[in-house]
Amino acid sequence: MAESTPKTMVPDDRVALYPKSNERLKAIIQKVPLTSKVLFDYKIGMGMSKDWKWWALEMLEKGTETPGIIQLAGEDLNMNFLEFNSLVCNIFQELGIDLSNDDAYYQYALSIAHQVVKGEMSSEKGFEILTSAAIDTGYHDAFMNFYYIKDDADLIRDGYSAFFCDGSMRKDDIEEWMYQYFDKLIKINE
């Protein structure tokens, strides 16, 4: 009889529990998933990009027409940063979304988790993106578990003991462990 390896198990106490999100924002993200990415980019100070153009066009396509979205869809990618910021604030005011809180960070992490679980990207890639997000945001709480887990995975690969994962991640199951983390993150936070 072949010896089986223990099933990968992500401890519940290692999965981040996020604050309850704005239902209006969640509804817009469900309608146009790119919303979480553009809001994250906005929160970290990035200006006009192709993603914003695509987002505005998709919002229009899905039936959400506001003066600001119509204007954004027609703007040049070289739009002045101050004008861009003003326009984005107007758009989200038109949509009834409060940009002053950290919902955008938590929704971005959940968006990446959904992409991993749907098979649109690997677990490792998801962790790389969210570890970079931790750095980009000055180590915001929404991304710290990803930062710690990625660090643990790197330590384990190099033959060292990990700290955050509490021994539940093994060298032969890092990708599966990360996938299970994303899956649990979605279930716990939605």
Side-chain angles (χ1 to χ4, degrees), residues 8-9 21 41 69 71 75 88 91 96 131 148 153 164 167 179 188:
T8 302
M9 181 53 86
S21 183
D41 288 349
I69 292 173
Q71 180 183 344
E75 285 292 345
V88 169
I91 289 170
T131 297
Y148 295 138
F164 185 80
Y179 178 87
I188 287 174

Side-chain angles (χ1 to χ4, degrees), residues 41-154:
D41 288 349
Y42 176 78
K43 291 287 280 186
I44 63 170
M46 293 181 67
M48 181 64 167
S49 68
K50 287 181 186 177
D51 284 340
W52 277 103
K53 294 273 291 185
W54 285 115
W55 176 82
L57 292 169
E58 192 171 349
M59 289 291 283
L60 293 171
E61 218 173 76
K62 299 282 173 97
T64 304
E65 278 189 38
T66 69
I69 292 173
I70 292 168
Q71 180 183 344
L72 182 62
E75 285 292 345
D76 186 83
L77 291 178
N78 295 319
M79 182 180 193
N80 174 290
F81 187 77
L82 295 175
E83 290 174 4
F84 169 76
N85 280 336
S86 177
L87 179 57
V88 169
C89 286
N90 287 339
I91 289 170
F92 283 96
Q93 191 170 34
E94 292 168 347
L95 295 174
I97 301 296
D98 179 9
L99 294 178
S100 67
N101 60 32
D102 291 338
D103 275 357
Y105 294 149
Y106 296 109
Q107 289 303 311
Y108 182 62
L110 288 171
S111 155
I112 297 296
H114 279 286
Q115 290 175 53
V116 168
V117 170
K118 288 177 186 174
E120 296 170 2
M121 76 173 65
S122 71
S123 301
E124 290 270 357
K125 180 67 176 171
F127 268 85
E128 285 175 25
I129 290 168
L130 295 173
T131 297
S132 292
I135 295 165
D136 292 341
T137 60
Y139 303 96
H140 189 278
D141 286 345
F143 307 110
M144 288 311 296
N145 278 10
F146 303 102
Y147 184 87
Y148 295 138
I149 293 166
K150 175 85 168 72
D151 190 49
D152 272 8
D154 292 342

Side-chain angles (χ1 to χ4, degrees), residues 11-21 106 110 140-143 145-146 164 181 184-190:
D12 289 344
D13 67 344
R14 293 297 181 235
V15 181
L17 182 59
Y18 292 158
K20 198 73 176 153
S21 183
Y106 296 109
L110 288 171
H140 189 278
D141 286 345
F143 307 110
N145 278 10
F146 303 102
F164 185 80
Y181 183 90
K184 276 191 170 190
L185 182 73
I186 291 168
K187 290 174 181 164
I188 287 174
N189 287 289
E190 292 190 343

